[in-house]
Amino acid sequence: MLNKDYIRVLYINVTDQTVRFENRKDLYHYLGGLGVGIKLFEENMKADLPPLHPEQPVVFANGALNFIYPVITKVPALFVSPLTGELGESYAGLRFGMAMRFSGWDAIVITGKADGPIYLSIKAQGVDFKNGIGIWGLSSEESARILRDLEEGTGKRSIVRIGTAGERQVAFANVVVDTFRHWGRLGLGAVLGSKYIKAIVVHGTESYPIINKSAYAKVYRNMYHKINDTEVMLKYHGLGTAGNVIPLSEIGGLPTKNCQSGSFEEAENISGEAFAEHNLIRKIACSGCPIGCIHIALHRRQFAEPYEYESVHISYDHELVYAFGSMLGLGKREDILGLIERVELDGLDAITSGVVLAWTAEAYEKGLISEKETLTEVRFGDFKGFNEVLGHLCNGTNEFYRALGKGLPHVTAKYGGQEFACAIGGLEMAGYHTGYGNLLGQLVGARHSHLDNAGYALDQQRPPLDDEELVKALLAEEKERNVLNCLTICLFSRKAYDRNSVRECLAAVGMERSDEELDWLGEEIHQIKWRVKEALGYKLDGKDVPERLFDTPSFRGKLDRKRFEKILALWQKIDRENRGGHRPVPDREDLPSGGSPRIDV
Amino acid sequence: MGEEGSKNKIVTKEEGPAVAQKKEGDKKRRPRVLMAPGMNRCIACYSCMLACARMVYRSYSIHKSAIKILTRGGYTSKFVANICRACIDPPCARACCVKALVPREGGGIRYHRDRCIGCRKCAEACVVQVIDFDEEEKKAIICIQCGNCASFCPHECLTMEISPHAEMNKPGGAFPTKELESPSPERRNPNDLIHDGN
């Protein structure tokens, strides 16, 4: 990828513990990251087999510009989601991108299932399949501590691992990356757990010379100053995303108590400002990002008298404060930090966990389930109950908890309460209730994430967008983000990496791309994603948005299901029209658009 | 606290460690050396290592950086900077038998990379063990006190200061500099002597 005209792909089969590699020239046009990842995923996925089948692949694909420019730090993982049964796509930062960049592998495809617990040690020279029996069953924190001692290369390696939730294949188990970051959503932890892979250590020991130093240094400096010294990323320098809590609550867009309301009376206690003043002790950054948006709180608690305290460092941001705060009616920062600590150690996705807990509390309140199922009292505002539920959820204590561990669509099919199950398109919703843009954005987004197309931000546009403008903006934004996800910029720096900057950055390191080529890439990825989703059985359906989100007024007022379905139909129509009109790229006849890949080994 | 306020907090030095400042009366051209007084503020962004690798060693990789940011046991621990301490009468320069390293006025060394034969004696001699080795080019990776790393540090953890030991370095001081060289005439060759920051 870097200084080369091909993508170096490492294939790992954990069943028979073999590896092979391919230098794929045909993938070079997909730049890297999401583009390369989705192509490899489409080639290797097995549409007819269940998500946790050993033959299903996990693909990691490094971004074209990862670690080369500031704030380009993410690595996408692609897999079949055990939570939704369709496309699983998740991004993580910290040190994994850097380590992978210098491991010499642009993409890694893992298939198979080991006989028993293992961990992988991936180096430029190959892969060691190491016995993982001693770290299986340990928390995400303890297993990493041991691996830090076992594996060499401090500062240049990345250690990713699952917690016990992943081992037990809870459908929304995550993978912890180094510390504080995760492939959080859609259950990659369960997929690795099903393959008996407890951890992956990537060693970044290789190096690449700079070909054109003056051009590269100049563009780097410009981007560094744009990001550090201008307004474009001010928000992330300061309070971080938790700064959204109060503004969202004020406009009625903060889902509260299982989204029974859009504003939380205790928002001030759990705001970014309150965390910053009382709990924030430091910020840290993903490798290669000068912002440092990972806000770390000190969670101090007394465990005995007299004055016996313990303390832990917990990272927080808006989504976690929403999921474990407003959504559960918890107005104490200590309670939120306690729940975050729990999911961090067990390796559960925080957003899905919070939304699932919120549904449980309401179902309990309404009598759909009782203490017979939950084994404890679960009420909004009661930390103790929620904490116990998380424990049972991770353990799969009884039939109810095993169903709950498969996500809301599954548990509601058995126990009812679909109308207040806050999942959109099968995935538990993110912390915004802003209007049609948010609902539609999460439903039509390829991974049902608010980050697919930023519908929540479009809802806040002034003057408001009409339906057609909204649909077109959602589509355009999603395709542009497809391009940015090939470079793997952190989407927080979206405003800094506009098209001109992207082209300049690519050109300075010898990866020139025209606007037409980038347009083509965004469109092509969109089409592959939908091809993959449909092959895996996904059908877009307006009913995959619960009644609750229409009953509770949003920032844009009360939403009407009929109008929503009309906008959805419009989205489908415009999308279909565009898909037919796939723009070819001038002067580049070698761009593949499907079919069998050319492989140069 | 407003967002603007928190941004300002980063760049002011009212609180936190005493980050040494350029003092009035300091001569502009006095040689400075790299120091790391603000490491409690470090966020481990690696911008300093990237700057060193990019600007001095022409590499995308942090392995080719003379400054090393490390944790002391994972991300919950403290970040530390392993940097050249800019010795007066540096042992590395003494150990260098080809005069690739020569003492620099104000502390540290000047590095004539073209002369380096890759013997690694400098790395062995370094008291604080911060000289790295470029296995591809078979040459030392060593700090030249250019200050690029400090200029890319977003939190001013790193600064360029006049060494407190610089006085000893003057003629008549405890460790008078034995040899001070003018810049190499072949300096324009990118693989040759790399500029000395100031």
Side-chain angles (χ1 to χ4, degrees):
Chain A
M1 186 185 293
L2 195 57
N3 299 351
K4 294 176 302 204
D5 66 346
Y6 56 83
I7 303 290
R8 198 166 161 77
V9 187
L10 174 67
Y11 294 87
I12 302 174
N13 185 329
V14 292
T15 306
D16 49 17
Q17 306 205 343
T18 54
V19 296
R20 67 187 172 92
F21 77 91
E22 286 173 355
N23 292 337
R24 295 279 301 267
K25 277 196 176 173
D26 62 307
L27 293 182
Y28 184 64
H29 305 303
Y30 290 88
L31 269 177
L34 175 61
V36 166
I38 194 78
K39 281 293 284 180
L40 287 169
F41 179 71
E42 190 185 25
E43 283 168 21
N44 289 284
M45 70 166 194
K46 304 284 183 291
D48 308 331
L49 298 177
L52 297 181
H53 192 278
E55 282 185 40
Q56 295 291 14
V58 174
V59 179
F60 300 106
N62 208 354
L65 298 180
N66 203 327
F67 201 62
I68 305 298
Y69 291 102
V71 209
I72 306 194
T73 55
K74 301 282 181 179
V75 177
L78 294 137
F79 50 97
V80 185
S81 165
L83 188 61
T84 60
E86 49 136 338
L87 176 66
E89 179 191 343
S90 186
Y91 293 76
L94 230 123
R95 209 191 269 154
F96 192 84
M98 184 199 87
M100 194 169 164
R101 161 113 285 152
F102 299 118
S103 74
W105 303 110
D106 299 323
I108 299 170
V109 181
I110 302 173
T111 50
K113 179 181 181 176
D115 292 340
I118 58 166
Y119 79 90
L120 303 176
S121 177
I122 299 177
K123 299 171 180 169
Q125 296 76 22
V127 180
D128 293 333
F129 299 84
K130 300 198 173 176
N131 196 333
I133 207 133
I135 51 173
W136 194 262
L138 298 184
S139 72
S140 68
E141 186 187 3
E142 189 64 3
S143 52
R145 187 193 66 74
I146 292 170
L147 288 173
R148 274 197 284 274
D149 291 340
L150 290 178
E151 294 285 314
E152 58 190 11
T154 177
K156 296 173 184 173
R157 66 181 177 204
S158 177
I159 299 173
V160 302
R161 66 279 180 187
I162 57 172
T164 46
E167 294 170 7
R168 289 169 190 156
Q169 299 173 24
V170 176
F172 45 93
N174 69 12
V175 179
V176 182
V177 177
D178 298 310
T179 311
F180 304 129
R181 299 290 91 175
H182 319 84
W183 282 291
R185 308 231 64 194
L186 291 162
L188 180 61
V191 181
L192 291 187
S194 75
K195 296 182 181 308
Y196 271 128
I197 300 173
K198 174 71 178 178
I200 302 173
V201 185
V202 176
H203 296 269
T205 52
E206 302 301 286
S207 58
Y208 307 101
I210 294 170
I211 307 294
N212 183 347
K213 181 187 159 188
S214 58
Y216 169 57
K218 188 174 156 220
V219 178
Y220 184 97
R221 187 179 292 270
N222 288 346
M223 289 312 299
Y224 183 88
H225 287 303
K226 190 169 172 185
I227 282 157
N228 249 359
D229 305 331
T230 67
E231 304 281 308
V232 293
M233 290 193 70
L234 199 53
K235 174 177 175 184
Y236 306 103
H237 278 288
L239 293 175
T241 56
N244 287 340
V245 172
I246 287 180
L248 272 176
S249 181
E250 278 173 357
I251 65 170
L254 179 70
T256 299
K257 294 184 184 163
N258 201 29
C259 207
Q260 295 180 71
S261 157
S263 40
F264 186 37
E265 64 274 17
E266 294 179 84
E268 252 174 51
N269 291 341
I270 61 166
S271 62
E273 289 83 349
F275 271 101
E277 278 163 30
H278 301 289
N279 303 82
L280 180 64
I281 49 165
R282 70 194 298 204
K283 297 176 199 168
I284 63 171
C286 298
S287 304
C289 168
I291 299 297
C293 78
I294 307 172
H295 287 58
I296 310 296
L298 183 72
H299 179 34
R300 174 177 178 259
R301 62 180 163 231
Q302 189 168 14
F303 63 87
E305 292 291 348
Y307 304 111
E308 299 284 5
Y309 286 95
E310 59 179 330
S311 65
V312 281
H313 294 189
I314 304 283
S315 103
Y316 65 90
D317 64 33
H318 168 71
E319 298 299 344
L320 305 185
V321 173
Y322 139 75
F324 292 139
S326 66
M327 199 62 169
L328 303 183
L330 289 174
K332 282 190 196 151
R333 292 183 304 280
E334 282 62 36
D335 292 347
I336 296 173
L337 292 172
L339 293 180
I340 299 175
E341 182 191 10
R342 173 120 222 168
V343 294
E344 187 80 60
L345 292 173
D346 291 345
L348 284 166
D349 173 32
I351 300 179
T352 293
S353 298
V355 177
V356 159
L357 290 181
W359 175 87
T360 308
E362 191 168 343
Y364 184 88
E365 196 177 276
K366 288 193 156 67
L368 293 181
I369 48 174
S370 66
E371 222 164 309
K372 196 171 131 261
E373 280 85 24
T374 60
L375 311 173
T376 176
E377 274 192 33
V378 198
R379 296 187 192 284
F380 288 114
D382 172 29
F383 165 78
K384 201 171 152 283
F386 288 130
N387 195 30
E388 277 183 41
V389 170
L390 279 179
H392 290 306
L393 183 61
C394 187
N395 288 335
T397 310
N398 60 19
E399 203 187 331
F400 167 72
Y401 281 111
R402 285 190 289 278
L404 197 63
K406 290 180 181 165
L408 284 181
H410 192 92
V411 76
T412 53
K414 216 164 186 177
Y415 296 89
Q418 286 93 340
E419 63 283 6
F420 57 87
C422 295
I424 302 176
L427 179 66
E428 289 68 19
M429 66 185 267
Y432 306 88
H433 187 38
T434 49
Y436 293 109
N438 179 50
L439 293 196
L440 186 65
Q442 290 190 51
L443 181 64
V444 301
R447 54 182 163 130
H448 305 296
S449 162
H450 61 299
L451 292 172
D452 275 325
N453 43 36
Y456 64 100
L458 295 174
D459 282 332
Q460 297 172 55
Q461 287 285 333
R462 279 189 194 145
L465 306 173
D466 69 29
D467 292 354
E468 190 171 335
E469 283 170 338
L470 175 67
V471 164
K472 286 185 172 164
L474 282 173
L475 276 163
E477 186 65 26
E478 182 146 358
K479 289 171 191 175
E480 186 63 15
R481 288 181 179 220
N482 283 345
V483 176
L484 296 173
N485 287 336
C486 292
L487 317 177
T488 62
I489 71 160
C490 172
L491 289 172
F492 289 170
S493 64
R494 165 92 181 76
K495 284 182 190 155
Y497 284 95
D498 52 39
R499 252 311 162 80
N500 284 341
S501 304
V502 165
R503 276 193 284 104
E504 263 178 34
C505 288
L506 284 167
V509 295
M511 298 187 203
E512 287 87 355
R513 290 292 192 280
S514 66
D515 263 343
E516 289 78 12
E517 285 171 300
L518 295 175
D519 283 345
W520 170 84
L521 188 60
E523 179 66 40
E524 171 79 359
I525 292 170
H526 181 70
Q527 295 191 24
I528 301 175
K529 278 188 177 181
W530 277 90
R531 208 154 66 214
V532 164
K533 285 163 74 75
E534 281 161 13
L536 289 168
Y538 179 71
K539 273 206 182 87
L540 200 52
D541 185 352
K543 292 190 190 68
D544 285 345
V545 179
E547 213 48 51
R548 169 59 47 84
L549 301 181
F550 297 100
D551 292 341
T552 303
S554 71
F555 161 59
R556 300 217 61 88
K558 201 162 172 333
L559 306 177
D560 173 50
R561 187 180 278 278
K562 279 195 182 133
R563 181 165 166 211
F564 174 74
E565 295 202 342
K566 229 174 83 191
I567 308 175
L568 175 62
L570 186 63
W571 185 91
Q572 285 174 297
K573 180 171 162 276
I574 293 178
D575 181 45
R576 211 177 307 120
E577 286 167 4
N578 281 352
R579 281 200 222 180
H582 184 152
R583 263 177 293 178
V585 182
D587 306 327
R588 288 286 286 269
E589 291 167 13
D590 52 350
L591 291 171
S593 54
S596 59
R598 285 172 289 137
I599 299 172
D600 299 316
V601 180
Chain B
M1 184 172 63
E3 287 178 359
E4 208 167 323
S6 35
K7 164 75 178 168
N8 288 339
K9 203 166 179 181
I10 292 170
V11 291
T12 57
K13 291 113 200 159
E14 287 169 8
E15 289 167 35
V19 176
Q21 292 299 296
K22 197 163 115 180
K23 294 175 190 69
E24 272 182 42
D26 280 355
K27 281 184 197 160
K28 269 189 184 166
R29 298 290 301 169
R30 274 181 84 181
R32 292 166 186 274
V33 297
L34 176 64
M35 292 193 177
M39 283 307 290
N40 283 338
R41 300 171 172 187
C42 178
I43 57 172
C45 68
Y46 294 0
S47 296
C48 53
M49 287 199 277
L50 277 162
C52 183
R54 180 175 67 249
M55 304 302 287
V56 184
Y57 291 96
R58 287 183 166 252
S59 175
Y60 293 112
S61 319
I62 56 164
H63 323 311
K64 303 217 177 166
S65 164
I67 173 172
K68 301 267 188 289
I69 302 298
L70 299 169
T71 66
R72 279 277 157 268
Y75 274 90
T76 51
S77 67
K78 187 181 167 170
F79 300 124
V80 294
N82 281 352
I83 58 170
C84 168
R85 300 292 161 173
C87 308
I88 305 299
D89 190 14
C92 56
R94 282 192 174 211
C96 180
C97 51
V98 291
K99 295 206 173 160
L101 306 180
V102 292
R104 168 183 172 275
E105 186 188 346
I109 49 92
R110 297 170 66 89
Y111 182 21
H112 296 259
R113 199 156 175 256
D114 54 332
R115 297 180 189 167
C116 177
I117 53 170
C119 69
R120 306 188 193 221
K121 285 190 178 148
C122 55
E124 287 164 20
C126 177
V127 176
V128 285
Q129 290 289 295
V130 292
I131 299 178
D132 212 337
F133 194 73
D134 184 338
E135 295 290 350
E136 287 161 10
E137 304 209 11
K138 306 289 178 212
K139 287 179 191 292
I141 295 174
I142 187 164
C143 177
I144 58 166
Q145 310 296 341
C146 67
N148 270 307
C149 54
S151 69
F152 278 95
C153 177
H155 284 193
E156 298 179 15
C157 308
L158 307 171
T159 56
M160 294 302 288
E161 306 285 332
I162 290 169
S163 163
H165 309 299
E167 292 300 310
M168 301 179 201
N169 189 210
K170 287 182 176 169
F175 304 109
T177 305
K178 293 178 182 61
E179 182 190 358
L180 287 177
E181 291 197 349
S182 56
S184 158
E186 291 157 61
R187 175 173 170 165
R188 282 178 183 279
N189 178 343
N191 290 320
D192 190 31
L193 167 71
I194 298 149
H195 68 95
D196 123 26
N198 304 290

